């Protein structure tokens, strides 16, 4: 029996027109069947009358998020759903345990655990395994990228050498297999081991299956900030050689340098998009923030051996990475339970509390926690006006880079979309909802080839966010990072209400793994 719902009395921001229009939206099961004034008149449907001034938008799409564990455990991410996010794209930074063997899953749990959390199984987690794990339990949709570092680790461990010819062929076949199992693209992470050891030739070779499937190559660049042009140039080179659309993750740097690099890439015929969140501080694993690459080579166990070596420690303490100035900008976010009392402090504050020199205390913390520490770092030199310029670019997609692990996570996972909503205003200072929708939904749907998402139109999936008249309001902060946003009055996923009256709808599991 078909379930029909009519959203009546709202303003529609459909991701197509230039301006919002008064219109109703008629849904049948998981699909939109009509949008327009009076389209549901006389229809046999459940009528949902919206508050005057409500704005009906396509469900928002998080173009970059670390939510695979939360979805596997709980079936939803409340911090995202409260902002109207109906689709989450995971498998980011080339370092997801989805698609990994038991050996690779174990490695990633040890190395990247403070970001993605431990895998729900120690026996390996193929795309099919993950699909079975979340099937019938999702309140939100999820789309998955294959991970370059995961594939590379399965073939060559943590080796810093280029893949050989046979290994490259095997990696290419792994990408083909992942696409066949439902992956929507390939990610890399050039600050993380072992993905960082892949070069242009390697990535272009293994990305070739993406061209035939019309899927993107998504990259955490090798360079940001002052090095952003070099990082984007490398991405563009992969796109040119492999003939694929490319997407830059959490792109930040001088806006004029970014604009110049994006123009150069596009002028060579390479389609490019990017995501970014509206916060200056970043968040990742502490080891990557404070240890030189040479100390990280070989993975966590090799790193810990080096940290226990007196000569290596003495040399490290002389580096800029462990300087008082640098550590005063690093805030601890995720720690094992025994060290939880330090969460929310800068390393400098925690070291002073312990009566120790900050660099020495940091090394001891990494050893005592087996590197299982996540942290935030304030980017010196970046400004709020630069963030606004970057996130106004026509190729920008909203991506929270949300991390839902630890005692004091970065607030971006709970507030990025709400904060971005405040950026998109018209000349009178009122929210420009069509512009908001393009950045928070439509652009990501286009970049990731999610052909039935990102717009309110007949035949599209009924992923819908109804914003209250006051719009989205950010409530999270670094002091209270897990506060849910206000303003998403009603959220439907595949035609079924999943968020209403300020909370999730009990027993609603209409989400799916999106493959196109």
């Amino acid at each position: 029996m078909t379930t029909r719902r009519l959203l009546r009395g709202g303003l529609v921001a459909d991701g197509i027109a230039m301006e919002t229009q008064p219109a109703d939206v008629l849904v049948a099961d998981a699909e939109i069947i009509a949008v327009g004034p009076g389209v549901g008149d006389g229809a046999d449907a459940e009528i949902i009358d919206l508050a005057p001034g409500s704005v009906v938008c396509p469900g928002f799409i998080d173009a970059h998020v670390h939510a695979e564990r939360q979805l596997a455990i709980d079936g939803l991410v409340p911090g995202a759903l409260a902002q109207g996010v109906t689709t989450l794209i995971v498998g980011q930074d080339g370092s997801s345990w989805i698609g990994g063997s038991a050996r690779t899953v174990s490695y990633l749990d040890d190395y990247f655990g403070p970001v993605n959390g431990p895998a729900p199984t120690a026996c390996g987690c193929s795309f099919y395994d993950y699909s079975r794990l979340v099937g019938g339990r999702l309140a939100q949709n999820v789309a998955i990228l294959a991970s370059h570092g995961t594939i590379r680790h399965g073939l060559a461990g943590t080796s810093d050498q280029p893949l050989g010819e046979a290994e490259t062929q095997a990696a290419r076949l792994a990408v083909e297999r992942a696409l066949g199992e439902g992956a929507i693209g390939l990610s890399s992470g050039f600050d993380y081991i072992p993905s960082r050891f892949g070069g242009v030739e390697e990535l272009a070779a293994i990305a070739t299956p993406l061209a035939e499937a019309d899927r993107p190559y998504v990259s955490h660049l090798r360079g940001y900030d002052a090095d952003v042009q070099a990082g984007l140039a490398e991405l563009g080179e992969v796109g040119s050689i492999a003939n694929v659309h490319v997407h830059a993750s959490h792109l930040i740097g001088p806006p004029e340098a970014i604009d110049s690099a994006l123009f150069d890439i596009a002028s060579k015929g390479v389609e490019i998009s990017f995501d970014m969140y509206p916060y200056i501080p970043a968040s990742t694993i502490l080891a990557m923030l404070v240890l030189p690459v040479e100390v990280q080579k070989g993975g966590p166990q090799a790193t810990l051996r080096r940290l226990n070596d007196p000569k290596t420690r003495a040399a490290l303490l002389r580096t800029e990475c462990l300087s008082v100035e640098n550590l005063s900008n690093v805030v601890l976010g995720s720690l094992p339970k025994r060290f939880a009392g330090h969460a929310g402090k800068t390393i400098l504050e925690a070291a002073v509390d312990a009566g120790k020199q900050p660099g020495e205390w940091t090394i001891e913390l990494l050893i005592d926690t087996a590197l299982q520490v996540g942290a935030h770092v304030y980017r010196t030199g970046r400004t709020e006006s630069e963030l606004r310029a970057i996130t106004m670019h026509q190729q920008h997609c909203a991506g929270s880079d949300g991390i839902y692990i630890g005692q004091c996570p970065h607030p971006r996972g709970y507030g990025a979309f709400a904060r971005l909503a405040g950026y998109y205003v018209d000349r009178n200072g009122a929210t420009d909802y069509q512009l908001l929708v393009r950045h928070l939904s439509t652009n990501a749907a286009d970049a990731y080839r999610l052909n039935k998402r990102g717009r309110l139109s007949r035949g599209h999936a009924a992923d819908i966010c109804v914003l209250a008249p006051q719009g989205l309001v950010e409530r999270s902060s670094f002091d209270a990072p897990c506060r849910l946003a206000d303003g998403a009055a009603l959220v439907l996923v595949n035609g079924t209400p999943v968020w209403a009256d300020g909370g999730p709808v009990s027993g609603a599991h209409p989400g799916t793994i999106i493959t196109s």
Side-chain angles (χ1 to χ4, degrees):
M1 179 178 176
T2 300
T3 299
R4 295 176 184 266
R5 292 185 171 92
L6 177 67
L7 305 184
R8 187 170 67 180
L11 296 168
V12 169
D14 58 9
I16 303 168
M18 293 299 295
E19 297 181 356
T20 58
Q21 300 290 338
D24 303 331
V25 180
L26 183 61
V27 171
D29 292 332
E31 187 174 293
I32 297 170
I33 60 172
V35 180
V39 294
D41 291 352
D44 180 16
E46 174 193 351
I47 297 175
I48 302 174
D49 284 315
L50 306 178
S54 297
V55 181
V56 185
C57 307
F60 301 145
I61 299 170
D62 195 333
H64 184 114
V65 65
H66 299 276
E68 39 265 72
R69 178 172 172 81
Q70 284 60 45
L71 292 169
I73 300 302
D74 300 323
L76 79 165
V77 181
L81 193 52
Q83 299 177 84
V85 174
T86 56
T87 297
L88 303 114
I89 300 174
V90 303
Q92 302 287 350
D93 297 323
S95 301
S96 177
W97 35 255
I98 300 176
S101 65
R103 173 172 163 265
T104 297
V105 164
S106 177
Y107 166 76
L108 288 169
D109 282 354
D110 290 344
Y111 176 69
F112 213 56
V115 173
N116 280 346
T121 171
C123 302
C125 187
S126 69
F127 284 82
Y128 285 138
D129 292 335
Y130 192 76
S131 298
R132 287 194 296 268
L133 186 64
V134 301
R137 300 176 52 246
L138 294 171
Q140 291 158 287
N141 303 313
V142 59
I144 307 168
L145 297 166
S147 294
H148 167 246
T150 304
I151 292 170
R152 202 181 203 276
H153 186 272
L155 296 168
T158 58
S159 171
D160 61 353
Q161 298 302 303
L163 293 182
E165 184 176 346
E167 291 169 326
T168 300
Q169 175 64 14
R172 186 186 302 116
L173 291 174
V175 173
E176 289 181 2
R177 184 165 56 251
L179 293 172
E181 293 180 358
I184 63 159
L186 173 70
S187 77
S188 64
F190 289 144
D191 271 322
Y192 301 114
I193 294 171
S195 188
R196 71 172 298 124
F197 300 129
V200 168
E201 183 177 341
E202 176 178 316
L203 267 299
I206 70 173
T208 52
L210 302 174
E212 183 176 349
D214 190 27
R215 295 299 187 182
Y217 165 56
V218 181
S219 185
H220 171 127
L221 304 180
R222 205 177 300 275
Y224 291 98
D225 295 309
D227 299 320
V228 71
Q229 286 186 302
L232 283 169
E234 180 180 33
L235 177 64
E237 191 173 357
V238 173
S240 179
I241 296 170
N243 193 30
V244 295
H245 163 57
V246 294
H247 180 94
S249 296
H250 38 67
L251 184 61
I252 192 165
E256 62 278 6
I258 290 174
D259 287 348
S260 175
L262 293 176
F263 179 83
D264 287 347
I265 292 168
S267 68
K268 296 173 183 175
V270 177
E271 182 184 349
I272 183 165
S273 56
F274 68 91
D275 60 73
M276 185 54 197
Y277 49 85
Y279 300 84
I280 292 174
S283 188
T284 186
I285 54 175
L286 178 62
M288 189 272 276
L289 293 176
V290 301
L291 297 180
V293 175
E294 292 73 18
V295 177
Q296 298 179 63
K297 283 184 178 180
Q301 297 309 311
T303 299
L304 290 169
R305 285 194 296 271
R306 294 186 186 104
L307 293 180
N308 277 295
D309 176 67
K311 289 184 179 180
T312 301
R313 287 174 71 137
L316 277 173
L317 291 171
R318 293 191 294 269
T319 65
E320 183 180 352
C321 295
L322 289 174
S323 68
V324 170
E325 181 180 8
N326 188 53
L327 296 179
S328 66
N329 287 321
V330 179
V331 176
L332 298 166
S334 174
L335 303 106
K337 187 177 297 184
R338 182 160 66 98
F339 301 91
H342 297 304
K345 300 177 183 178
T346 66
I347 287 181
L348 185 58
E349 291 168 338
V352 168
D353 288 348
K356 295 188 177 181
Q357 192 271 342
E360 193 69 51
W361 186 87
T362 302
I363 293 174
E364 290 178 5
L365 177 69
L366 288 170
I367 292 171
D368 292 343
T369 62
L371 310 184
Q372 291 293 297
V373 182
H376 324 315
V377 61
Y378 190 85
R379 296 183 181 97
T380 56
R382 300 278 69 85
T383 67
E384 176 74 15
S385 63
E386 288 180 327
L387 277 179
R388 286 179 176 267
I390 292 166
T391 55
M392 287 297 295
H393 193 284
Q394 63 182 1
Q395 296 306 116
H396 166 263
C397 309
S400 71
D401 202 5
I403 296 171
Y404 300 96
I405 301 296
Q407 301 85 358
C408 191
H410 194 300
R412 65 195 184 189
Y414 297 82
F417 282 72
R419 182 176 286 201
L420 280 170
Y423 285 10
Y424 304 121
V425 298
D426 62 23
R427 66 185 63 183
N428 298 315
T431 299
D432 183 336
Y433 281 101
Q434 289 286 18
L435 182 62
L436 178 153
V437 163
R438 284 195 285 277
H439 284 271
L440 272 58
S441 186
T442 311
N443 286 351
D446 292 347
Y448 284 100
R449 308 314 197 231
L450 307 182
N451 298 319
K452 295 295 184 180
R453 266 81 190 176
R455 294 172 175 84
L456 297 179
S457 180
R458 179 181 175 86
H460 274 64
D463 292 346
I464 299 171
C465 171
V466 178
L467 296 179
Q470 76 270 21
L472 277 178
V473 179
E474 179 191 15
R475 296 183 66 242
S476 60
S477 66
F478 281 96
D479 291 331
C482 300
R483 284 181 181 164
L484 300 180
D486 286 332
L490 177 67
V491 180
L492 279 67
V493 169
N494 296 312
T496 298
V498 295
W499 186 270
D501 301 321
V505 176
S506 179
H509 305 292
T512 187
I513 293 182
I514 300 175
T515 59
S516 64

